[in-house]
Every structure is written in structure tokens, then in C-alpha cells.
Amino acid sequence: MGLCRFYPSPSDRMAIIWSLMPIKDAVVLEYGPAGTTHFGGGLYSSLGIELGKTLFTTHISEDDVIMGDVSRLENAIREIDTAYHPKVIFVVAAAVIAVIGTDIAGVCQYMQEEVDARLISFEEGGFRGDYTYGLRSVYRMLANEIVKVSDEKCSTYNILGASAGSYRIRSDVWEIRNLMREAFDMECGCCMGLEGTIEDIENIGKGTINIVLRNEALECANIISEKCGVGFVYGQPYGYIGTLKWLEKIAEKIGKTINPQLVVRLKDKAMKIAPMGGPMGMGMMGHSKPKAVIQGDYDTLLGFKSALNELDIDAAQLICSHSIKDTKDADSSVDYIPKEKERIDLFKTFQKTWCLGSDEMERFTKDSNYFTCISSPFVSKTQWATHMPFMGEKGMDYLIELKNDFFSKYEY
Amino acid sequence: MGLNGMEMLSKMKHLSEVNNMKQVKPSSYALFPGYHCPLMGAMLTIKEIDNSVMVVVGPDECAYYTQLATSGGTMKTNGCQIVSVVLDQHDITFGCQEKMDEAFEELMDEYKPEAVYIVTTCVVEVTGDDVDSMAAGYQLKYGLPVMVVHAENFKTDDHLPGIEHTLDASINLMKEQTVTDSVNVLGLRLGSFMKTEVCRYLNENGVKIGLMLPGKASAKNIEEAPAAKCNIVVHPVGLPLAKAMKERFGTPYVLFERYSDPERIMRCYSEVFSILGKKIPDVFEEKQQEQMKKIENIRNILGGKTYISGNTALCNYELHSFLVNRLDAKPLLLQISDLDEDSLEFRKEILSKCDPYVTRAANIGALGYLYPHLLPDFNIGAGNSMEMRKYGIVSVRMLMAYNTLGFEVCDMILDAFVKADEEAKMSNGGKHHGIM
């Protein structure tokens, strides 16, 4: 697998930056060549992240590389602290800094005495794993270093694991907020790593429950549970039945009942789309059963699989966009195909299939398929709307429309 | 909250105080967006070469961003296939040869290119993998030109070395040719030479345009480049290749940048037409006279006006020398990215009238804090538009600059300043109110 023809999997370092930049009153300082930051700005803004005063670079010269001169880093830390007064400066090593082994944790340690901002370093440099490693790393750090223990409790919930790198994540979070408001009359305290301030993260320990959207945030949820006694529910609300089950898990955890009107509405909608099933199913009507393949993050795959199941569509293959070696008890139906060539060859075999995936899948599948973008990379797609989710009730409403379009195209 | 503009200025050097870039400090230590890297320069150049493959060798981030940048819009790949060899910890520790061999075999099999450019990044340059030897091996094994562009970012403050090194490397594609009545255009970073006045006049006088690099080209176009009677170098990034071609193939060259001064433009035209053995068209003399008159008129309007400037598509120091000496304008701050010998005369010309502050380019975030202290009339190049409006600073917009060369450059500059001056009068009724 020497050649990479399209996008490689984003690195741990990229995920670290896109998860830290959205935190208001904090600054990300990259220690490394400026070109990386300049290039990276294009990606981060495409993910809907504000660039102004959230990301800086020190740039480096040959002197820094050869002589180990860290004065640029020291000066930049001092300057940011004085000029912008952030609560935290996250110092992130670039790949070349990680290779030469500059001790940026050490620099942050001695510089801490000079500045008011808290200094937290990330030395991964992009070589420790794919973006899921970076997400775990950031979430773990935020739980350990920023979330505060508090005796005070409030009725809010928090969202853990909403990553800016996920397609339509802001819409999905909007839908979760709607669902939680309608179901339990609860408001979100913090959507960690996507919105909010350092103070919001500090206050996560005051919340009633944490909603964990992806596997990479489980360790973080466990740390907060042990540290602050805040329980959590893990899973994503996909499909009408899936959403109801998800709400029921939360209801059980917080000891509240779900707004009955919402329950009735979700059940009604689920009934309307229920397949004829059994011996009267489509197979019996002379049609082949419609097929889908899904490419995306681990939790996205499982979520879409269950939603498509409600639509009586067989998710024939679940292709994970990242390594699942750190995913405990991973679902056996999920495949990770690390070799790009093998993935491309597989994509080329699909026919008359609903392909839900990334730009990569769209590029290499034939036109005889029906494509829906649901995962990263999604460079050719824009994300203007923040109210068009895939999750929840509204997400399922939309998926039904897509399904009908798919069916009409292939006369299922 | 923010940077202290006065303090920044107090630490900033003047043009007269610097003679190498190490002496020029950035306006802040924390930069945003920061400089482009040479990988970008290489990408901009190679993406236009038909039937070529560009192989980015580096961490996944460099590979990802190169794909991202060329996925659409004006920077979309145009004839070139961009791929990468993504290095992991194993490659960093044990070297990337094995992965490179495998990748090269795959790309030869899948794309069947006419030329391959291997572009290195910071990490490879630090680990010291001998990519040049690998390329030589592939060239021998597969029988096609394989060029290496070294594109580490820690030796430079901009992307231009990436363009320059790509051009340099391309000489390996060139072969001896019979000389024809054509010219090559070297160093045109952006825009289209075909839209320029120089191109029009050359065509009108029976001169064909050969290779344009950077520009749309094929491996064959590059191979046949020595057929040109003259190389026109429109930016210094094309100079090393022009010099190498002169040495190897005897092709003379003329440095004809996007100059502003009509007399200098006239000299360039004269040199080109002399090498081509053609009579200089009478229209040039008329144009020069016209522009000198226009300059006289506009000096009455712009004389004494102040400005700050970032990088432009023009020959920067020459532009400032022109503005200072021909129009009596006064630069207060220049954002610069080089202090080469080539620009020494222009710098002396600027210093004969004024001594502006100098700082490193590509740090727009910090620039805004200097506006209330410098309060220039105009800004040239990139800037913080919201902050500029606040202080009544008007942008001089030279939007068509990339498609100009010759006397039209002077016209464009003069018109842009007149327009900016009118805009200032309309919007400010005077300047520097400090209000929106």
C-alpha cells in the first residue's frame, strides 16, 4: 500500500486541532512550519470553524531544527498570553517537531511560571495514529485537565464526542438539542470540542448526564463519571425507533419520562414506514431487496445501519473510515480496509446500490449507484445548513425522502 | 485586548537598517495565517503539466492538504495526477525506500505518466532519506524523467522556492532543439501570459509563444523548450532555469518582470526585440510618452499620499521605487519576503526619498494593530479590510495584475490609485476618522 491516490485518513494531530479550535477563550498555537497552518486553515474553515484568533503558528527556521532553538515558541506564548488573555494555550507540535523530538512539554512547563494562561501541550505530531487517536487524546485531556469537580449540580446535559470532522455534525447536534428539549425539557450545558468555552467544559461536572456520541469519547465519559459522578449514555439517535430507544435509555438514566406526545409521534412515523415484511415482503413481490453500503466512522455506520433497517434496506457492507483496533468489542459487521487500493476496487464493484459515504466513495463508485454524502472527506460538499440532520426524527424524515428517490431511480 | 501596535512599531526596523531577512522581524511572534510553504508552490506549478504525476512524500497532513487544495476552484489539478506516499513512524525510523518503490510501481502501472515529480516535505528533509537517488533509480528502471523538488518549509518564508525548484528540476526534461522564432515565458506564477500586452505585441510581430512555465504545458513542451530564441523571465523564480538553459542550450534571456516604470518597460521590450532580431514597433515610443504625461498629471493628485504595502503580483521594490520617485507617494510600512541582491538598486531608489518600516509578510492578523498608529491613506495588497475601513484606509485594488505585463502594468497602477483616491474622497470626506 505504498501509493495514496486520494485523501489519506486525517492524522491524530489534525483532529486535535479541529477539536481544540472551537473552544472559545482558548488558543491553539502550532509549533512548526507556517505552511502547515496556512494549508490547515483551509480544512478547518471548511469544517465550519472560526479562524480568527483561534489558531496561530510560530513558523520555524533551520536554526530551530538544527540547533533546537525554542525561542520562537517562548516568544509566541508570551505574546499570545499578553495580547489575547486566553484561559488556555494549547501548544501543538507539527510533524517535523515530533520527528526532531523537541521537548515542548518541557518548554510549556517552565513557561507556565511566566504566563497567566494555562499551557497544555500535544506532542503527537501526526504519527501516533489516525484522527480517532487524536479525538481520544483531546477528549481524555479535557476530562482530566479542564473538567472540574463540583458539588453543585444543574439540570443540563452535555454532549461528548461531537467532532467537527463529522459531516453535518452541527445539524445533528441541533436535532439532539431539539429532542432533549421536547423529551425532557433539558438544555445542553456543553457540546465539548465543537462549541462553548473553557468554563462550559469546566462545568461539565455539574451536569445531569453526558450523551456520548462516539466511541472515542467513552474514556472521557468514564473519567468524568468517576471524577464528578455524572453518568452517561452512549449511542446516536438514528431512525424513529432508534431515536425512541435512545431517548428511553436517557430517560432510564435520569429517572424522567419522555414527553408522551413525542413518543406517539415517533411511533406513528415508525408505523407508517414499516415494511410489509414476512411472506408479503418485497422479495415475494418479484423485486430484489434494495441494498446499501455505508462508509463512515464506526458509530455513524452502526447508526445508519439501524436507520436503514427500519426502512427495510439491507446494509450489505459497513466500511469503517478509521482503524478500529482501539474500539473495544467492535461490532463484527464493521470492516476496516486499510489499503486504499482494496477499498477502491471494492467501490467499483457496487451496482444499483445506495452508497452512503465520503467523497472517496463517490469518486470511485460507478454512476449506476445512488450516492449520499454522510462522512469525511466531504470536500466537494458544503455544509451551510445547521438544521438538516441525519440523526433523530428529522434525520429520518430526510432519509425517507432519499430512500424514495433511490427506489424510484432503480424501480425497487 | 490585542497586540500593542506602538510597541510593535518600536521594535520594527526600517528599510535602511536591514540587508538580510534574518534582521527583519515579523510584526508578531504568533503568526496567522502564516506563510505558504514550498509544497504549495510546487503544486501550483506541477498541477498544470499534462500527463505528469506529482508524488508528495511526507506525513498524511501534507498529502491531505495538497489533495484538498487541488480538489476544486482555481487551483484544481489540470492534467496532472497528484498522489502521495504517506510516511508513518516505521518509515521515519527505517526510511521510506521500500514504500516509495512500491508506490512507484503502482503509479507507473495505473497512470503511465510521461514525467514524474517527486516533491519532498519537511519530515523527509529532516530524516535525510536520499530521494534523489531513488528518483535516479526509477528513471533508469522505468525509462522516464523523474525529477525531485525539495520543498521543505523550514528554510524559507514563502512558497516561491517550490516554484523555483520545480522549474529548475524541469531542465532534465529538455533536449537540444533547432532554434525557431519563438519565446518561452518563465516564472509566471499566476494569471495568463496570453492575456498580456507583451503577448499581443509578440504575436503581432510574428513571434510564437513556446513554453510557459509555470503554465499549461506537457512533458513534450518542456522537452522542446530549447527551441526558443529567447526566454522572457517574468519573475525571479524563473531566473535559475533561464540561467541553466543559457548555459546548457545557449538560450539568452531577458528579465522582464511586471515593472511599473515606463522607461524600464521600454528597455525590456528593446532587449527582447533585439534578441529576436526584429525592429522595435513605433507604438512603444508613443506609449512611453503617453504614460509619462499621465504620471505627471497623477502626481498632482497623489503626491504626498502615504501607503502601506504587502506582497503584490508586481515586482515589489520596483513598484515602490516607482511610486516614490515618479508619484511622490510615501510608503510607511512594507511587508517583505526577500532582500535579494537583485532588488538592491530599487531599494536604494526608495531610500533616496524615504525610509519605511519593514516587516515580514503574511501576518495579516497582526497588521490590523498597526493601522491606528500609521494611519496611511492607502493599503496595497492583502490587509484586514474591516480594520482598514475603521481608520479610513482605502485599498488600492489591482485585481487584473496577474494578467498584465508591459506598459499596461503602469496604466493599471495609475488607474488603481486614482480610483482609490476617489473612493477615499467618497467614503471618508477626509481620512482617519476612526469610525466605520
Side-chain angles (χ1 to χ4, degrees):
Chain A
M1 54 176 277
L3 193 67
C4 178
R5 296 151 188 83
F6 202 47
Y7 289 92
S9 193
S11 69
D12 51 2
R13 206 186 87 88
M14 291 158 79
I16 286 168
I17 294 173
W18 80 51
S19 302
L20 295 174
M21 279 178 69
I23 303 173
K24 306 269 187 280
D25 61 22
V27 161
V28 177
L29 174 61
E30 286 199 76
Y31 184 45
T36 316
T37 311
H38 200 130
F39 255 141
L43 171 68
Y44 305 130
S45 65
S46 78
L47 301 179
I49 298 170
E50 282 275 328
L51 297 179
K53 292 171 191 160
T54 58
L55 178 66
F56 292 96
T57 175
T58 58
H59 192 49
I60 53 166
S61 70
E62 245 178 328
D63 292 348
D64 307 317
V65 174
I66 297 165
M67 310 301 289
D69 181 3
V70 290
S71 55
R72 280 174 192 260
L73 178 58
E74 294 168 349
N75 287 329
I77 289 172
R78 278 189 208 102
E79 184 179 270
I80 290 171
D81 185 61
T82 311
Y84 306 110
H85 310 295
K87 286 189 175 170
V88 181
I89 301 172
F90 297 109
V91 180
V92 182
V96 69
I97 294 296
V99 168
I100 62 177
T102 305
D103 180 14
I104 65 164
V107 175
C108 287
Q109 198 174 4
Y110 69 73
M111 285 300 295
Q112 188 62 77
E113 291 172 16
E114 275 192 50
V115 295
D116 295 329
R118 176 105 182 264
L119 301 178
I120 295 175
S121 62
F122 287 87
E123 298 182 296
E124 280 83 347
F127 291 113
R128 298 209 182 150
D130 63 29
Y131 60 104
T132 56
Y133 184 96
L135 292 176
R136 283 177 211 280
S137 178
V138 165
Y139 297 151
R140 184 171 53 238
M141 177 281 296
L142 292 174
N144 282 324
E145 303 294 332
I146 308 290
V147 175
K148 285 183 175 170
V149 178
S150 173
D151 294 333
E152 190 189 333
K153 291 289 168 194
C154 54
S155 62
T156 55
Y157 65 92
N158 305 296
I159 299 172
L160 310 181
S163 165
S166 302
Y167 187 58
R168 294 210 175 279
I169 188 63
R170 287 179 181 79
S171 289
D172 287 336
V173 165
W174 173 81
E175 173 68 353
I176 288 171
R177 284 196 162 112
N178 289 337
L179 288 167
M180 291 297 286
R181 198 174 293 125
E182 187 176 358
F184 307 114
D185 194 23
M186 287 177 80
E187 293 298 329
C188 181
C190 178
C191 183
M192 195 180 79
L194 188 71
E195 299 168 359
T197 61
I198 288 288
E199 191 180 356
D200 293 335
I201 300 172
E202 287 172 346
N203 290 337
I204 282 176
K206 294 179 184 174
T208 302
I209 188 167
N210 287 331
I211 292 170
V212 180
L213 293 184
R214 58 186 303 148
N215 194 281
E216 290 76 23
L218 273 175
E219 186 186 354
C220 163
N222 275 312
I223 293 168
I224 296 170
S225 175
E226 281 177 26
K227 189 171 167 181
C228 312
V230 183
F232 64 88
V233 166
Y234 164 48
Q236 299 185 344
Y238 280 99
Y240 299 132
I241 300 296
T243 298
L244 193 55
K245 283 182 180 168
W246 179 81
L247 287 168
E248 283 167 355
K249 277 203 289 185
I250 295 170
E252 190 186 337
K253 197 84 180 175
I254 60 176
K256 282 189 173 186
T257 52
I258 308 168
N259 179 344
Q261 284 179 339
L262 176 59
V263 175
V264 168
R265 200 170 70 236
L266 287 171
K267 283 184 176 174
D268 277 355
K269 284 189 174 183
M271 282 291 286
K272 278 183 194 165
I273 61 157
M276 283 182 273
M280 293 298 287
M282 286 185 173
M284 294 298 290
M285 294 164 71
H287 292 280
S288 59
K289 194 170 180 183
K291 193 178 76 172
V293 291
I294 315 171
Q295 180 199 27
D297 292 347
Y298 178 77
D299 293 282
T300 308
L301 293 175
L302 297 182
F304 271 92
K305 181 189 175 187
S306 77
L308 296 189
N309 201 31
E310 289 182 36
L311 296 170
D312 199 29
I313 294 174
D314 178 25
Q317 195 151 11
L318 306 180
I319 305 154
C320 195
S321 302
H322 54 82
S323 164
I324 44 176
K325 70 177 182 343
D326 291 328
T327 308
K328 280 181 190 159
D329 306 319
D331 191 297
S332 59
S333 64
V334 174
D335 291 326
Y336 172 54
I337 307 169
K339 292 188 177 179
E340 187 196 53
K341 181 85 168 67
E342 286 179 17
R343 282 200 307 277
I344 292 170
D345 289 344
L346 174 67
F347 293 155
K348 287 177 179 171
T349 65
F350 301 148
Q351 284 190 345
K352 288 189 169 186
T353 300
W354 189 0
C355 296
L356 300 104
S358 70
D359 273 357
E360 180 189 60
M361 181 182 255
E362 183 178 24
R363 176 162 160 171
F364 294 108
T365 47
K366 291 174 186 156
D367 288 344
S368 60
N369 298 288
Y370 185 83
F371 176 77
T372 302
C373 180
I374 64 156
S375 58
S376 168
F378 44 82
V379 177
S380 64
K381 306 288 179 294
T382 52
Q383 294 189 93
W384 179 253
T386 53
H387 61 283
M388 292 177 68
F390 285 122
M391 289 186 195
E393 179 190 5
K394 292 174 192 69
M396 191 59 171
D397 294 344
Y398 180 47
L399 279 176
I400 289 167
E401 291 184 7
L402 291 173
K403 181 213 78 171
N404 291 341
D405 197 33
F406 168 51
F407 276 29
S408 67
K409 190 172 177 189
Y410 297 109
E411 296 175 351
Y412 278 116
Chain B
M1 192 171 79
L3 297 168
N4 184 332
M6 278 305 281
E7 198 181 317
M8 286 159 71
L9 282 178
S10 71
K11 291 176 183 169
M12 208 173 275
K13 299 218 170 174
H14 289 269
L15 182 60
S16 63
E17 298 172 298
V18 295
N19 49 39
N20 67 66
M21 282 306 287
K22 278 194 176 178
Q23 297 167 322
V24 182
K25 301 295 173 200
S27 46
S28 63
Y29 292 107
L31 316 174
F32 186 81
Y35 322 111
H36 276 303
C37 74
L39 172 60
M40 166 100 168
M43 176 196 87
L44 286 171
T45 311
I46 301 167
K47 77 178 181 65
E48 296 289 329
I49 299 174
D50 284 335
N51 304 319
S52 69
V53 168
M54 170 177 170
V55 186
V56 179
V57 188
D60 33 21
E61 208 165 344
C62 296
Y64 196 100
Y65 294 149
T66 311
Q67 288 290 354
L68 183 69
T70 54
S71 65
T74 54
M75 293 209 285
K76 192 172 168 54
T77 48
N78 186 17
C80 163
Q81 188 70 42
I82 297 180
V83 296
S84 43
V85 175
V86 177
L87 306 182
D88 57 23
Q89 273 179 322
H90 180 274
D91 307 313
I92 301 298
T93 312
F94 298 103
C96 65
Q97 168 102 48
E98 199 179 323
K99 193 175 267 184
M100 286 286 289
D101 291 349
E102 201 181 331
F104 216 90
E105 196 173 327
E106 288 179 48
L107 81 84
M108 287 304 299
D109 184 45
E110 286 179 41
Y111 303 115
K112 300 179 176 47
E114 291 174 5
V116 176
Y117 288 85
I118 300 175
V119 183
T120 67
T121 57
C122 296
V123 167
V124 196
E125 293 297 333
V126 164
T127 57
D129 269 306
D130 188 359
V131 180
D132 291 282
S133 292
M134 292 180 212
Y138 303 141
Q139 184 155 326
L140 212 59
K141 183 176 175 183
Y142 296 100
L144 86 167
V146 181
M147 289 136 297
V148 179
V149 179
H150 295 276
E152 68 276 15
N153 191 192
F154 53 80
K155 286 183 185 169
T156 171
D157 283 352
D158 60 38
H159 65 295
L160 297 180
I163 302 177
E164 187 177 309
H165 296 164
T166 306
L167 266 58
D168 281 358
S170 297
I171 198 164
N172 294 332
L173 277 165
M174 295 179 188
K175 290 179 183 164
E176 199 83 47
Q177 307 284 328
T178 306
V179 175
T180 63
D181 221 7
S182 65
V183 297
N184 297 321
V185 179
L186 305 181
L188 188 78
R189 294 183 295 144
L190 291 166
S192 169
F193 180 76
M194 305 310 274
K195 293 178 182 170
T196 65
E197 168 200 295
V198 175
C199 182
R200 282 197 304 279
Y201 283 126
L202 287 172
N203 287 341
E204 279 173 17
N205 285 275
V207 181
K208 287 183 183 159
I209 309 303
L211 175 71
M212 288 181 283
L213 203 65
K216 190 72 201 139
S218 65
K220 188 157 177 57
N221 293 147
I222 300 173
E223 182 183 310
E224 293 172 351
K229 197 175 263 181
C230 171
N231 282 326
I232 298 179
V233 181
V234 297
H235 187 280
V237 290
L239 264 181
L241 175 60
K243 286 177 181 171
M245 283 181 72
K246 187 176 181 185
E247 195 180 321
R248 193 178 296 184
F249 305 107
T251 315
Y253 68 88
V254 176
L255 183 60
F256 193 160
E257 292 192 61
R258 282 199 192 94
Y259 295 130
S260 318
D261 193 293
E263 283 180 6
R264 189 168 288 108
I265 295 164
M266 185 66 183
R267 283 202 295 274
C268 291
Y269 267 127
S270 302
E271 211 177 332
V272 171
F273 275 76
S274 161
I275 290 173
L276 292 171
K278 291 187 180 285
K279 181 181 172 294
I280 298 169
D282 295 337
V283 67
F284 291 167
E285 185 62 38
E286 291 162 25
K287 275 201 167 279
Q288 188 187 350
Q289 294 308 321
E290 263 173 42
Q291 289 193 332
M292 294 307 286
K293 277 184 197 161
K294 192 169 175 179
I295 288 167
E296 283 301 312
N297 291 335
I298 290 172
R299 184 166 49 207
N300 295 330
I301 304 169
L302 294 179
K305 294 279 168 72
T306 58
Y307 70 91
I308 58 176
S309 179
N311 272 336
T312 69
L314 310 183
C315 177
N316 283 311
Y317 289 115
E318 195 268 348
L319 167 70
H320 301 308
S321 164
F322 170 76
L323 294 173
V324 165
N325 290 293
R326 295 282 193 197
L327 296 177
D328 290 342
K330 189 182 174 195
L332 302 178
L333 167 73
L334 303 179
Q335 299 161 71
I336 61 173
S337 48
D338 69 79
L339 281 164
D340 298 340
E341 279 295 304
D342 300 338
S343 62
L344 191 59
E345 283 308 308
F346 300 135
R347 284 186 271 140
K348 279 183 186 169
E349 287 168 14
I350 297 166
L351 288 169
S352 69
K353 294 279 181 69
C354 56
D355 192 6
Y357 286 110
V358 284
T359 184
R360 287 177 182 247
N363 192 17
I364 295 165
L367 201 61
Y369 297 99
L370 298 174
Y371 295 155
H373 304 287
L374 293 172
L375 289 174
D377 294 294
F378 304 116
N379 174 71
I380 305 173
N384 185 328
S385 53
M386 288 285 282
E387 287 294 304
M388 281 196 286
R389 274 204 295 274
K390 199 167 152 186
Y391 295 104
I393 304 163
V394 177
S395 275
V396 180
R397 297 185 190 88
M398 296 187 265
L399 301 175
M400 299 307 291
Y402 284 116
N403 293 324
T404 60
L405 189 67
F407 292 111
E408 64 188 357
V409 176
C410 180
D411 268 332
M412 178 203 62
I413 295 165
L414 296 175
D415 293 346
F417 265 95
V418 170
K419 197 173 172 195
D421 191 56
E422 284 167 2
E423 203 180 307
K425 283 175 191 156
M426 293 275 285
S427 59
N428 298 335
K431 66 166 189 173
H432 309 153
H433 298 305
I435 51 167
M436 288 294 286

